[in-house]
Amino acid sequence: MSKSKNLAIGIDIGGSGIKGAPVSMKSGKFKAEKLRIPTPENASPGEIAEIVRTIADSFELPDAPVGVTFPSPIINGTISYVANLSQEWKGVAVEELFSAALGRPVTVLNDADAAGYAEVYYGAARGRMGTCLTLTLGTGIGSALVRDGVLVPNTEFGHIILPNGQQDAERWAASSVFERDQLSFEEWAGRLQMVFDALELYVAPDVMIIGGGVSKRHDQFLPLLHTRAELIPAELRNKAGIVGAALMAYQQAAKAAKTAKAAKTAQ
């Protein structure tokens, strides 16, 4: 029996580091210690692809599906724009790039999407149906929308325009703004309330999952907020991107295998 059975590799690309681990699809837990390699400054696509290959190969699971997160919307396997890495990435067919580098299919998705997807399957909202909205509060505000277990990719709710005339949600209420402006939790909660009110109007989620590093202090600000949706802190935190990438890759590989089997049967 292949030791890759029920395993997939998730790799999370960030501005400061690229980290990965094999993940059990039964539990959502890492099956080996994660490997982290610093992200080279202004790294080219080729440099990042080589690091992704190094991480994937280090686990000696050549048959395991590989999923990769990227800090950008991924549309039909291609990067539409990029903020925190080299502008060489714009327009790159990133799934093709990584698949060629690794010599096997690679699934690529937005980093916030991966985190939210993992929270629905293995984390704070596991087993939930309906509409689950995950918001990651950090330098900006990342978002992931999952409806009845199906990811709606590439939402950018951090850029919604708020009714108070502020430019967008993340410039008004990201945790980086909380720190920069030295807001109290009460002041910050007032800003977050405005964002959450707008999102409840636009999306009507059943549950809202709040992630990002500041979620470790959720008891200091979530009780100050009032939403129709159930408001809960994320559980997987910095593991979520790796887990979500692995899960999506595993599901895509299973779908491809099923399609190939059906085509063979039809011949």
Side-chain angles (χ1 to χ4, degrees):
M1 180 181 293
S2 169
K3 65 178 182 178
S4 300
K5 184 176 176 60
N6 294 320
L7 293 178
I9 296 171
I11 299 175
D12 191 9
I13 297 176
S16 62
I18 302 170
K19 55 187 183 292
V23 179
S24 166
M25 293 294 97
K26 292 183 178 180
S27 66
K29 295 182 179 179
F30 291 179
K31 297 300 290 183
E33 185 175 351
K34 74 178 179 184
L35 174 61
R36 182 185 185 278
I37 297 175
T39 305
E41 186 175 353
N42 207 37
S44 69
E47 289 177 285
I48 296 293
E50 180 62 21
I51 293 173
V52 168
R53 185 195 63 78
T54 297
I55 292 174
D57 288 353
S58 72
F59 300 113
E60 298 182 352
L61 295 168
D63 299 326
V66 178
V68 177
T69 78
F70 200 87
S72 164
I74 306 297
I75 302 174
N76 298 322
T78 299
I79 295 170
S80 57
Y81 72 87
V82 62
N84 297 319
L85 294 171
S86 167
Q87 290 304 307
E88 289 183 54
W89 284 97
K90 186 175 181 181
V92 169
V94 68
E95 286 191 343
E96 293 181 9
L97 173 70
F98 290 155
S99 296
L102 272 66
R104 52 176 149 171
V106 175
T107 299
V108 183
L109 68 163
N110 172 263
D111 51 1
D113 281 343
Y117 202 47
E119 289 291 347
V120 169
Y121 275 83
Y122 299 113
R126 59 188 175 277
R128 300 288 188 97
M129 299 302 282
T131 302
C132 299
L133 175 62
T134 299
L135 299 174
T136 54
L137 306 177
T139 303
I141 298 178
S143 62
L145 186 65
V146 180
R147 171 68 183 175
D148 290 340
V150 178
L151 176 68
V152 181
N154 298 314
T155 58
E156 290 286 338
F157 292 134
H159 297 298
I160 62 170
I161 303 301
L162 298 173
N164 66 344
Q166 296 298 321
Q167 291 183 349
D168 60 23
E170 66 179 29
R171 294 190 181 185
W172 175 245
S175 65
S176 59
V177 176
F178 164 66
E179 295 169 358
R180 183 197 68 203
D181 294 349
Q182 298 183 325
L183 302 174
S184 68
F185 278 109
E186 289 76 14
E187 290 171 325
W188 188 41
R191 295 189 179 205
L192 288 173
Q193 186 70 61
M194 189 176 298
V195 176
F196 292 2
D197 286 348
L199 290 174
E200 286 209 292
L201 176 64
Y202 299 153
V203 183
D206 298 295
V207 60
M208 296 176 70
I209 306 160
I210 307 305
V214 74
S215 66
K216 290 184 286 188
R217 295 186 284 170
H218 63 87
D219 58 330
Q220 297 184 65
F221 65 94
L222 289 191
L224 303 174
L225 295 159
H226 304 283
T227 57
R228 180 198 57 78
E230 184 179 359
L231 193 60
I232 56 178
E235 290 182 6
L236 299 177
R237 294 180 180 162
N238 62 359
K239 296 181 179 179
I242 292 174
V243 174
L247 173 61
M248 181 63 75
Y250 187 85
Q251 291 178 337
Q252 292 295 319
K255 182 179 179 180
K258 184 177 180 180
T259 301
K261 184 178 179 180
K264 185 176 181 180
T265 301
Q267 289 178 351

